[in-house]
Amino acid sequence: MEIAAAGGHNAILIGPPGAGKTMLAKRLPTILPPLTLQEASESTKIHSVAGKLPENATLISRRPFRSPHHTISDVALVGGGGGVPQPGEISLAHNGVLFLDELPEFKRTVLEVMRQPMEERRVTISRAKVALDFPASFMLIASMNPCPCGFHNHPDRECTCPPGAVQKYLNKISGPLLDRIDLHVEVTPVPFSQLSEKSEEESSSIVRERVIKARDIQLERYSENGIYCNAQMSSKMLREICVINVVGQTLLKKAMEKLNLSARAYDRILKVSRTIADLENSENIKPEFLAEAIQYRSLDREGWAG
């Protein structure tokens, strides 16, 4: 999740029940960098228009974290409604996090309407006499079980799903939507022996310091482009900023061919590898950074459907 926070990347957490996916997602705000004044102003305006501004608050100081239920309608998610169109959850999550727990349980039509806003980072609500643009630059964090029973690829438990059920379950999420998710993170349950250990772990504040340093690098890099992080790079900027050497090009070519990745997935891998380089304070994208970014495309692997 550190990489997601450092680069503003979308992520999906895949793991069995009890693996801590929801807890992990809800801890993400503790390692995100603080809002800039411009970001705070943008988020405050949206919440004010929607009537969601906290009482006695003049400026939103924390990044929004929105977690709608899987029964939400497409209008409630992207915005609209009768009369004057209102901002939806994706706009209320602008400059923050939109968390969709149990992603396959959401209606497919609801998920599909997010595709264009995720790409353009804004949503246009059109009516007969008016068309309104709402900002929608959010980090999508989703979670899901690997199959209906929840134990596909589990190290200790056996999957009880019938043949074809895993693929059918994964097919609830379209390929184009998965393409727009930068990080596919497999979450495994923590054994009791590790839960009961009293070893010292990194605090959120230490991780947050690394995230802020990486974001500062990006703020300087994009100071004249009007964006804040690597995830917001355009395709043109990507070619100029994410330059890789011959070894990296060969590695990426083999991964593209083996995993049958799309052009959009190719862009996502480069953006994530740039973020990993920023966290390591490296000017260049090294082959090992690319290899790590490729590993975060687990749902593109052939073996997933078992």
PDB file of all heavy atoms in Angstrom, residues 168-202:
ATOM      1  N   LYS A 168     -15.788 -17.632 -13.572  1.00  0.00           N
ATOM      2  CA  LYS A 168     -17.078 -16.932 -13.624  1.00  0.00           C
ATOM      3  C   LYS A 168     -17.112 -15.785 -12.616  1.00  0.00           C
ATOM      4  O   LYS A 168     -17.620 -14.696 -12.898  1.00  0.00           O
ATOM      5  CB  LYS A 168     -18.212 -17.911 -13.345  1.00  0.00           C
ATOM      6  CG  LYS A 168     -19.602 -17.313 -13.490  1.00  0.00           C
ATOM      7  CD  LYS A 168     -20.677 -18.359 -13.247  1.00  0.00           C
ATOM      8  CE  LYS A 168     -22.074 -17.746 -13.366  1.00  0.00           C
ATOM      9  NZ  LYS A 168     -23.132 -18.761 -13.094  1.00  0.00           N
ATOM     10  N   TYR A 169     -16.540 -16.033 -11.444  1.00  0.00           N
ATOM     11  CA  TYR A 169     -16.498 -15.016 -10.389  1.00  0.00           C
ATOM     12  C   TYR A 169     -15.620 -13.840 -10.807  1.00  0.00           C
ATOM     13  O   TYR A 169     -16.010 -12.675 -10.673  1.00  0.00           O
ATOM     14  CB  TYR A 169     -15.963 -15.665  -9.117  1.00  0.00           C
ATOM     15  CG  TYR A 169     -15.907 -14.765  -7.904  1.00  0.00           C
ATOM     16  CD1 TYR A 169     -17.063 -14.433  -7.201  1.00  0.00           C
ATOM     17  CD2 TYR A 169     -14.695 -14.278  -7.427  1.00  0.00           C
ATOM     18  CE1 TYR A 169     -17.009 -13.633  -6.073  1.00  0.00           C
ATOM     19  CE2 TYR A 169     -14.628 -13.482  -6.300  1.00  0.00           C
ATOM     20  CZ  TYR A 169     -15.797 -13.163  -5.621  1.00  0.00           C
ATOM     21  OH  TYR A 169     -15.737 -12.363  -4.508  1.00  0.00           O
ATOM     22  N   LEU A 170     -14.438 -14.145 -11.357  1.00  0.00           N
ATOM     23  CA  LEU A 170     -13.530 -13.088 -11.799  1.00  0.00           C
ATOM     24  C   LEU A 170     -14.099 -12.311 -12.978  1.00  0.00           C
ATOM     25  O   LEU A 170     -13.810 -11.119 -13.145  1.00  0.00           O
ATOM     26  CB  LEU A 170     -12.169 -13.676 -12.178  1.00  0.00           C
ATOM     27  CG  LEU A 170     -11.336 -14.274 -11.040  1.00  0.00           C
ATOM     28  CD1 LEU A 170     -10.045 -14.874 -11.580  1.00  0.00           C
ATOM     29  CD2 LEU A 170     -11.025 -13.231  -9.985  1.00  0.00           C
ATOM     30  N   ASN A 171     -14.927 -12.982 -13.800  1.00  0.00           N
ATOM     31  CA  ASN A 171     -15.508 -12.324 -14.969  1.00  0.00           C
ATOM     32  C   ASN A 171     -16.545 -11.264 -14.606  1.00  0.00           C
ATOM     33  O   ASN A 171     -16.998 -10.512 -15.474  1.00  0.00           O
ATOM     34  CB  ASN A 171     -16.145 -13.358 -15.905  1.00  0.00           C
ATOM     35  CG  ASN A 171     -15.109 -14.141 -16.699  1.00  0.00           C
ATOM     36  OD1 ASN A 171     -13.948 -13.733 -16.784  1.00  0.00           O
ATOM     37  ND2 ASN A 171     -15.522 -15.255 -17.272  1.00  0.00           N
ATOM     38  N   LYS A 172     -16.920 -11.201 -13.326  1.00  0.00           N
ATOM     39  CA  LYS A 172     -17.835 -10.140 -12.890  1.00  0.00           C
ATOM     40  C   LYS A 172     -17.163  -8.771 -13.007  1.00  0.00           C
ATOM     41  O   LYS A 172     -17.837  -7.742 -13.039  1.00  0.00           O
ATOM     42  CB  LYS A 172     -18.277 -10.374 -11.440  1.00  0.00           C
ATOM     43  CG  LYS A 172     -19.209 -11.564 -11.261  1.00  0.00           C
ATOM     44  CD  LYS A 172     -19.660 -11.671  -9.811  1.00  0.00           C
ATOM     45  CE  LYS A 172     -20.632 -12.818  -9.608  1.00  0.00           C
ATOM     46  NZ  LYS A 172     -21.099 -12.903  -8.205  1.00  0.00           N
ATOM     47  N   ILE A 173     -15.830  -8.784 -13.038  1.00  0.00           N
ATOM     48  CA  ILE A 173     -15.068  -7.543 -13.197  1.00  0.00           C
ATOM     49  C   ILE A 173     -14.488  -7.539 -14.600  1.00  0.00           C
ATOM     50  O   ILE A 173     -13.746  -8.445 -14.973  1.00  0.00           O
ATOM     51  CB  ILE A 173     -13.928  -7.450 -12.159  1.00  0.00           C
ATOM     52  CG1 ILE A 173     -14.483  -7.668 -10.762  1.00  0.00           C
ATOM     53  CG2 ILE A 173     -13.230  -6.102 -12.245  1.00  0.00           C
ATOM     54  CD1 ILE A 173     -13.411  -7.915  -9.726  1.00  0.00           C
ATOM     55  N   SER A 174     -14.817  -6.546 -15.383  1.00  0.00           N
ATOM     56  CA  SER A 174     -14.397  -6.525 -16.784  1.00  0.00           C
ATOM     57  C   SER A 174     -12.899  -6.286 -16.930  1.00  0.00           C
ATOM     58  O   SER A 174     -12.261  -5.663 -16.075  1.00  0.00           O
ATOM     59  CB  SER A 174     -15.162  -5.445 -17.553  1.00  0.00           C
ATOM     60  OG  SER A 174     -14.732  -4.157 -17.161  1.00  0.00           O
ATOM     61  N   GLY A 175     -12.359  -6.775 -18.050  1.00  0.00           N
ATOM     62  CA  GLY A 175     -10.948  -6.560 -18.353  1.00  0.00           C
ATOM     63  C   GLY A 175     -10.570  -5.088 -18.429  1.00  0.00           C
ATOM     64  O   GLY A 175      -9.550  -4.680 -17.864  1.00  0.00           O
ATOM     65  N   PRO A 176     -11.372  -4.250 -19.125  1.00  0.00           N
ATOM     66  CA  PRO A 176     -11.045  -2.824 -19.196  1.00  0.00           C
ATOM     67  C   PRO A 176     -10.975  -2.136 -17.832  1.00  0.00           C
ATOM     68  O   PRO A 176     -10.160  -1.241 -17.630  1.00  0.00           O
ATOM     69  CB  PRO A 176     -12.185  -2.236 -20.042  1.00  0.00           C
ATOM     70  CG  PRO A 176     -12.614  -3.369 -20.901  1.00  0.00           C
ATOM     71  CD  PRO A 176     -12.474  -4.592 -20.040  1.00  0.00           C
ATOM     72  N   LEU A 177     -11.798  -2.575 -16.867  1.00  0.00           N
ATOM     73  CA  LEU A 177     -11.733  -1.989 -15.525  1.00  0.00           C
ATOM     74  C   LEU A 177     -10.463  -2.439 -14.810  1.00  0.00           C
ATOM     75  O   LEU A 177      -9.764  -1.626 -14.180  1.00  0.00           O
ATOM     76  CB  LEU A 177     -12.969  -2.379 -14.709  1.00  0.00           C
ATOM     77  CG  LEU A 177     -13.028  -1.817 -13.278  1.00  0.00           C
ATOM     78  CD1 LEU A 177     -13.048  -0.294 -13.290  1.00  0.00           C
ATOM     79  CD2 LEU A 177     -14.235  -2.360 -12.523  1.00  0.00           C
ATOM     80  N   LEU A 178     -10.132  -3.727 -14.923  1.00  0.00           N
ATOM     81  CA  LEU A 178      -8.902  -4.238 -14.309  1.00  0.00           C
ATOM     82  C   LEU A 178      -7.667  -3.560 -14.892  1.00  0.00           C
ATOM     83  O   LEU A 178      -6.688  -3.325 -14.188  1.00  0.00           O
ATOM     84  CB  LEU A 178      -8.799  -5.750 -14.495  1.00  0.00           C
ATOM     85  CG  LEU A 178      -9.562  -6.630 -13.509  1.00  0.00           C
ATOM     86  CD1 LEU A 178      -9.391  -8.093 -13.865  1.00  0.00           C
ATOM     87  CD2 LEU A 178      -9.106  -6.377 -12.079  1.00  0.00           C
ATOM     88  N   ASP A 179      -7.718  -3.262 -16.187  1.00  0.00           N
ATOM     89  CA  ASP A 179      -6.609  -2.571 -16.843  1.00  0.00           C
ATOM     90  C   ASP A 179      -6.313  -1.232 -16.181  1.00  0.00           C
ATOM     91  O   ASP A 179      -5.180  -0.760 -16.187  1.00  0.00           O
ATOM     92  CB  ASP A 179      -6.941  -2.319 -18.320  1.00  0.00           C
ATOM     93  CG  ASP A 179      -6.369  -3.404 -19.216  1.00  0.00           C
ATOM     94  OD1 ASP A 179      -5.622  -4.263 -18.713  1.00  0.00           O
ATOM     95  OD2 ASP A 179      -6.665  -3.388 -20.413  1.00  0.00           O
ATOM     96  N   ARG A 180      -7.345  -0.609 -15.639  1.00  0.00           N
ATOM     97  CA  ARG A 180      -7.201   0.719 -15.036  1.00  0.00           C
ATOM     98  C   ARG A 180      -6.762   0.657 -13.576  1.00  0.00           C
ATOM     99  O   ARG A 180      -6.611   1.691 -12.927  1.00  0.00           O
ATOM    100  CB  ARG A 180      -8.526   1.486 -15.161  1.00  0.00           C
ATOM    101  CG  ARG A 180      -8.845   1.910 -16.596  1.00  0.00           C
ATOM    102  CD  ARG A 180     -10.297   2.399 -16.729  1.00  0.00           C
ATOM    103  NE  ARG A 180     -10.507   3.072 -18.002  1.00  0.00           N
ATOM    104  CZ  ARG A 180     -10.769   2.449 -19.149  1.00  0.00           C
ATOM    105  NH1 ARG A 180     -10.810   1.123 -19.179  1.00  0.00           N
ATOM    106  NH2 ARG A 180     -10.972   3.131 -20.266  1.00  0.00           N
ATOM    107  N   ILE A 181      -6.591  -0.562 -13.049  1.00  0.00           N
ATOM    108  CA  ILE A 181      -6.123  -0.736 -11.677  1.00  0.00           C
ATOM    109  C   ILE A 181      -4.645  -1.095 -11.722  1.00  0.00           C
ATOM    110  O   ILE A 181      -4.257  -2.124 -12.270  1.00  0.00           O
ATOM    111  CB  ILE A 181      -6.945  -1.822 -10.949  1.00  0.00           C
ATOM    112  CG1 ILE A 181      -8.424  -1.395 -10.891  1.00  0.00           C
ATOM    113  CG2 ILE A 181      -6.406  -2.048  -9.548  1.00  0.00           C
ATOM    114  CD1 ILE A 181      -9.346  -2.414 -10.241  1.00  0.00           C
ATOM    115  N   ASP A 182      -3.816  -0.237 -11.152  1.00  0.00           N
ATOM    116  CA  ASP A 182      -2.364  -0.355 -11.297  1.00  0.00           C
ATOM    117  C   ASP A 182      -1.770  -1.531 -10.523  1.00  0.00           C
ATOM    118  O   ASP A 182      -0.840  -2.188 -10.987  1.00  0.00           O
ATOM    119  CB  ASP A 182      -1.678   0.927 -10.796  1.00  0.00           C
ATOM    120  CG  ASP A 182      -2.244   2.182 -11.430  1.00  0.00           C
ATOM    121  OD1 ASP A 182      -3.121   2.055 -12.299  1.00  0.00           O
ATOM    122  OD2 ASP A 182      -1.828   3.284 -11.055  1.00  0.00           O
ATOM    123  N   LEU A 183      -2.284  -1.764  -9.306  1.00  0.00           N
ATOM    124  CA  LEU A 183      -1.680  -2.738  -8.401  1.00  0.00           C
ATOM    125  C   LEU A 183      -2.670  -3.838  -8.044  1.00  0.00           C
ATOM    126  O   LEU A 183      -3.754  -3.552  -7.516  1.00  0.00           O
ATOM    127  CB  LEU A 183      -1.214  -2.049  -7.108  1.00  0.00           C
ATOM    128  CG  LEU A 183      -0.199  -0.914  -7.266  1.00  0.00           C
ATOM    129  CD1 LEU A 183      -0.134  -0.086  -5.991  1.00  0.00           C
ATOM    130  CD2 LEU A 183       1.177  -1.470  -7.597  1.00  0.00           C
ATOM    131  N   HIS A 184      -2.319  -5.086  -8.342  1.00  0.00           N
ATOM    132  CA  HIS A 184      -3.115  -6.244  -7.928  1.00  0.00           C
ATOM    133  C   HIS A 184      -2.343  -6.902  -6.791  1.00  0.00           C
ATOM    134  O   HIS A 184      -1.328  -7.569  -7.020  1.00  0.00           O
ATOM    135  CB  HIS A 184      -3.299  -7.232  -9.083  1.00  0.00           C
ATOM    136  CG  HIS A 184      -3.871  -6.620 -10.328  1.00  0.00           C
ATOM    137  ND1 HIS A 184      -3.877  -7.267 -11.544  1.00  0.00           N
ATOM    138  CD2 HIS A 184      -4.463  -5.425 -10.545  1.00  0.00           C
ATOM    139  CE1 HIS A 184      -4.436  -6.486 -12.458  1.00  0.00           C
ATOM    140  NE2 HIS A 184      -4.800  -5.367 -11.867  1.00  0.00           N
ATOM    141  N   VAL A 185      -2.805  -6.728  -5.570  1.00  0.00           N
ATOM    142  CA  VAL A 185      -2.040  -7.155  -4.390  1.00  0.00           C
ATOM    143  C   VAL A 185      -2.698  -8.380  -3.755  1.00  0.00           C
ATOM    144  O   VAL A 185      -3.853  -8.324  -3.328  1.00  0.00           O
ATOM    145  CB  VAL A 185      -1.948  -6.021  -3.347  1.00  0.00           C
ATOM    146  CG1 VAL A 185      -1.090  -6.452  -2.165  1.00  0.00           C
ATOM    147  CG2 VAL A 185      -1.394  -4.757  -3.985  1.00  0.00           C
ATOM    148  N   GLU A 186      -1.957  -9.487  -3.695  1.00  0.00           N
ATOM    149  CA  GLU A 186      -2.452 -10.700  -3.049  1.00  0.00           C
ATOM    150  C   GLU A 186      -2.165 -10.615  -1.553  1.00  0.00           C
ATOM    151  O   GLU A 186      -1.012 -10.456  -1.139  1.00  0.00           O
ATOM    152  CB  GLU A 186      -1.797 -11.932  -3.659  1.00  0.00           C
ATOM    153  CG  GLU A 186      -2.177 -12.143  -5.131  1.00  0.00           C
ATOM    154  CD  GLU A 186      -1.553 -13.394  -5.708  1.00  0.00           C
ATOM    155  OE1 GLU A 186      -1.802 -14.491  -5.160  1.00  0.00           O
ATOM    156  OE2 GLU A 186      -0.811 -13.279  -6.705  1.00  0.00           O
ATOM    157  N   VAL A 187      -3.225 -10.721  -0.756  1.00  0.00           N
ATOM    158  CA  VAL A 187      -3.113 -10.606   0.703  1.00  0.00           C
ATOM    159  C   VAL A 187      -3.308 -11.992   1.313  1.00  0.00           C
ATOM    160  O   VAL A 187      -4.332 -12.638   1.061  1.00  0.00           O
ATOM    161  CB  VAL A 187      -4.164  -9.627   1.267  1.00  0.00           C
ATOM    162  CG1 VAL A 187      -4.001  -9.470   2.775  1.00  0.00           C
ATOM    163  CG2 VAL A 187      -4.066  -8.276   0.573  1.00  0.00           C
ATOM    164  N   THR A 188      -2.361 -12.455   2.097  1.00  0.00           N
ATOM    165  CA  THR A 188      -2.457 -13.775   2.727  1.00  0.00           C
ATOM    166  C   THR A 188      -2.698 -13.632   4.224  1.00  0.00           C
ATOM    167  O   THR A 188      -2.256 -12.659   4.842  1.00  0.00           O
ATOM    168  CB  THR A 188      -1.161 -14.588   2.497  1.00  0.00           C
ATOM    169  OG1 THR A 188      -0.042 -13.823   2.969  1.00  0.00           O
ATOM    170  CG2 THR A 188      -0.964 -14.881   1.014  1.00  0.00           C
ATOM    171  N   PRO A 189      -3.404 -14.597   4.817  1.00  0.00           N
ATOM    172  CA  PRO A 189      -3.668 -14.525   6.264  1.00  0.00           C
ATOM    173  C   PRO A 189      -2.365 -14.575   7.061  1.00  0.00           C
ATOM    174  O   PRO A 189      -1.414 -15.251   6.676  1.00  0.00           O
ATOM    175  CB  PRO A 189      -4.516 -15.777   6.537  1.00  0.00           C
ATOM    176  CG  PRO A 189      -5.023 -16.218   5.211  1.00  0.00           C
ATOM    177  CD  PRO A 189      -4.013 -15.787   4.197  1.00  0.00           C
ATOM    178  N   VAL A 190      -2.339 -13.873   8.172  1.00  0.00           N
ATOM    179  CA  VAL A 190      -1.160 -13.868   9.047  1.00  0.00           C
ATOM    180  C   VAL A 190      -1.293 -15.020  10.041  1.00  0.00           C
ATOM    181  O   VAL A 190      -2.298 -15.120  10.758  1.00  0.00           O
ATOM    182  CB  VAL A 190      -1.041 -12.525   9.805  1.00  0.00           C
ATOM    183  CG1 VAL A 190       0.181 -12.531  10.707  1.00  0.00           C
ATOM    184  CG2 VAL A 190      -0.984 -11.366   8.825  1.00  0.00           C
ATOM    185  N   PRO A 191      -0.311 -15.931  10.110  1.00  0.00           N
ATOM    186  CA  PRO A 191      -0.381 -17.044  11.062  1.00  0.00           C
ATOM    187  C   PRO A 191      -0.457 -16.549  12.506  1.00  0.00           C
ATOM    188  O   PRO A 191       0.042 -15.474  12.835  1.00  0.00           O
ATOM    189  CB  PRO A 191       0.938 -17.807  10.814  1.00  0.00           C
ATOM    190  CG  PRO A 191       1.402 -17.366   9.466  1.00  0.00           C
ATOM    191  CD  PRO A 191       0.916 -15.966   9.299  1.00  0.00           C
ATOM    192  N   PHE A 192      -1.062 -17.388  13.367  1.00  0.00           N
ATOM    193  CA  PHE A 192      -1.211 -17.010  14.775  1.00  0.00           C
ATOM    194  C   PHE A 192       0.136 -16.739  15.424  1.00  0.00           C
ATOM    195  O   PHE A 192       0.271 -15.842  16.257  1.00  0.00           O
ATOM    196  CB  PHE A 192      -1.946 -18.113  15.546  1.00  0.00           C
ATOM    197  CG  PHE A 192      -2.031 -17.847  17.028  1.00  0.00           C
ATOM    198  CD1 PHE A 192      -2.957 -16.941  17.531  1.00  0.00           C
ATOM    199  CD2 PHE A 192      -1.161 -18.472  17.922  1.00  0.00           C
ATOM    200  CE1 PHE A 192      -3.023 -16.672  18.889  1.00  0.00           C
ATOM    201  CE2 PHE A 192      -1.220 -18.213  19.275  1.00  0.00           C
ATOM    202  CZ  PHE A 192      -2.155 -17.314  19.759  1.00  0.00           C
ATOM    203  N   SER A 193       1.163 -17.532  15.037  1.00  0.00           N
ATOM    204  CA  SER A 193       2.490 -17.363  15.641  1.00  0.00           C
ATOM    205  C   SER A 193       3.034 -15.959  15.418  1.00  0.00           C
ATOM    206  O   SER A 193       3.703 -15.396  16.289  1.00  0.00           O
ATOM    207  CB  SER A 193       3.462 -18.398  15.061  1.00  0.00           C
ATOM    208  OG  SER A 193       3.545 -18.266  13.648  1.00  0.00           O
ATOM    209  N   GLN A 194       2.725 -15.381  14.243  1.00  0.00           N
ATOM    210  CA  GLN A 194       3.189 -14.016  13.960  1.00  0.00           C
ATOM    211  C   GLN A 194       2.311 -12.982  14.643  1.00  0.00           C
ATOM    212  O   GLN A 194       2.785 -11.925  15.050  1.00  0.00           O
ATOM    213  CB  GLN A 194       3.214 -13.781  12.450  1.00  0.00           C
ATOM    214  CG  GLN A 194       4.277 -14.588  11.715  1.00  0.00           C
ATOM    215  CD  GLN A 194       4.339 -14.249  10.234  1.00  0.00           C
ATOM    216  OE1 GLN A 194       3.921 -13.174   9.810  1.00  0.00           O
ATOM    217  NE2 GLN A 194       4.850 -15.186   9.446  1.00  0.00           N
ATOM    218  N   LEU A 195       1.001 -13.289  14.765  1.00  0.00           N
ATOM    219  CA  LEU A 195       0.096 -12.350  15.440  1.00  0.00           C
ATOM    220  C   LEU A 195       0.474 -12.183  16.905  1.00  0.00           C
ATOM    221  O   LEU A 195       0.320 -11.094  17.479  1.00  0.00           O
ATOM    222  CB  LEU A 195      -1.352 -12.857  15.342  1.00  0.00           C
ATOM    223  CG  LEU A 195      -2.061 -12.707  13.991  1.00  0.00           C
ATOM    224  CD1 LEU A 195      -3.418 -13.404  14.036  1.00  0.00           C
ATOM    225  CD2 LEU A 195      -2.247 -11.228  13.642  1.00  0.00           C
ATOM    226  N   SER A 196       0.947 -13.273  17.514  1.00  0.00           N
ATOM    227  CA  SER A 196       1.256 -13.239  18.947  1.00  0.00           C
ATOM    228  C   SER A 196       2.665 -12.755  19.257  1.00  0.00           C
ATOM    229  O   SER A 196       3.020 -12.569  20.413  1.00  0.00           O
ATOM    230  CB  SER A 196       1.053 -14.639  19.552  1.00  0.00           C
ATOM    231  OG  SER A 196       1.867 -15.595  18.880  1.00  0.00           O
ATOM    232  N   GLU A 197       3.475 -12.559  18.202  1.00  0.00           N
ATOM    233  CA  GLU A 197       4.834 -12.066  18.412  1.00  0.00           C
ATOM    234  C   GLU A 197       4.823 -10.610  18.871  1.00  0.00           C
ATOM    235  O   GLU A 197       3.927  -9.851  18.524  1.00  0.00           O
ATOM    236  CB  GLU A 197       5.650 -12.185  17.122  1.00  0.00           C
ATOM    237  CG  GLU A 197       6.121 -13.595  16.811  1.00  0.00           C
ATOM    238  CD  GLU A 197       6.949 -13.654  15.537  1.00  0.00           C
ATOM    239  OE1 GLU A 197       7.126 -12.584  14.909  1.00  0.00           O
ATOM    240  OE2 GLU A 197       7.398 -14.742  15.170  1.00  0.00           O
ATOM    241  N   LYS A 198       5.842 -10.231  19.624  1.00  0.00           N
ATOM    242  CA  LYS A 198       5.949  -8.864  20.118  1.00  0.00           C
ATOM    243  C   LYS A 198       7.059  -8.093  19.404  1.00  0.00           C
ATOM    244  O   LYS A 198       7.662  -7.190  19.949  1.00  0.00           O
ATOM    245  CB  LYS A 198       6.196  -8.857  21.627  1.00  0.00           C
ATOM    246  CG  LYS A 198       5.038  -9.408  22.439  1.00  0.00           C
ATOM    247  CD  LYS A 198       5.301  -9.291  23.931  1.00  0.00           C
ATOM    248  CE  LYS A 198       4.118  -9.807  24.723  1.00  0.00           C
ATOM    249  NZ  LYS A 198       4.349  -9.713  26.197  1.00  0.00           N
ATOM    250  N   SER A 199       7.313  -8.498  18.160  1.00  0.00           N
ATOM    251  CA  SER A 199       8.367  -7.826  17.388  1.00  0.00           C
ATOM    252  C   SER A 199       7.925  -6.417  17.018  1.00  0.00           C
ATOM    253  O   SER A 199       6.728  -6.138  16.836  1.00  0.00           O
ATOM    254  CB  SER A 199       8.675  -8.616  16.114  1.00  0.00           C
ATOM    255  OG  SER A 199       7.511  -8.761  15.330  1.00  0.00           O
ATOM    256  N   GLU A 200       8.881  -5.521  16.889  1.00  0.00           N
ATOM    257  CA  GLU A 200       8.586  -4.135  16.559  1.00  0.00           C
ATOM    258  C   GLU A 200       8.290  -4.003  15.066  1.00  0.00           C
ATOM    259  O   GLU A 200       9.018  -4.522  14.229  1.00  0.00           O
ATOM    260  CB  GLU A 200       9.770  -3.234  16.928  1.00  0.00           C
ATOM    261  CG  GLU A 200       9.971  -3.085  18.416  1.00  0.00           C
ATOM    262  CD  GLU A 200      11.030  -2.044  18.742  1.00  0.00           C
ATOM    263  OE1 GLU A 200      11.431  -1.301  17.815  1.00  0.00           O
ATOM    264  OE2 GLU A 200      11.455  -1.984  19.898  1.00  0.00           O
ATOM    265  N   GLU A 201       7.211  -3.336  14.752  1.00  0.00           N
ATOM    266  CA  GLU A 201       6.823  -3.103  13.360  1.00  0.00           C
ATOM    267  C   GLU A 201       6.965  -1.621  13.043  1.00  0.00           C
ATOM    268  O   GLU A 201       6.972  -0.767  13.923  1.00  0.00           O
ATOM    269  CB  GLU A 201       5.369  -3.546  13.132  1.00  0.00           C
ATOM    270  CG  GLU A 201       5.098  -5.018  13.441  1.00  0.00           C
ATOM    271  CD  GLU A 201       5.759  -5.954  12.457  1.00  0.00           C
ATOM    272  OE1 GLU A 201       6.138  -5.494  11.360  1.00  0.00           O
ATOM    273  OE2 GLU A 201       5.919  -7.147  12.792  1.00  0.00           O
ATOM    274  N   GLU A 202       7.063  -1.325  11.754  1.00  0.00           N
ATOM    275  CA  GLU A 202       7.116   0.080  11.327  1.00  0.00           C
ATOM    276  C   GLU A 202       5.795   0.773  11.630  1.00  0.00           C
ATOM    277  O   GLU A 202       4.727   0.234  11.353  1.00  0.00           O
ATOM    278  CB  GLU A 202       7.386   0.163   9.812  1.00  0.00           C
ATOM    279  CG  GLU A 202       8.832   0.143   9.437  1.00  0.00           C
ATOM    280  CD  GLU A 202       9.030   0.518   7.980  1.00  0.00           C
ATOM    281  OE1 GLU A 202       8.174   0.158   7.156  1.00  0.00           O
ATOM    282  OE2 GLU A 202      10.038   1.152   7.671  1.00  0.00           O
TER     283      GLU A 202
END
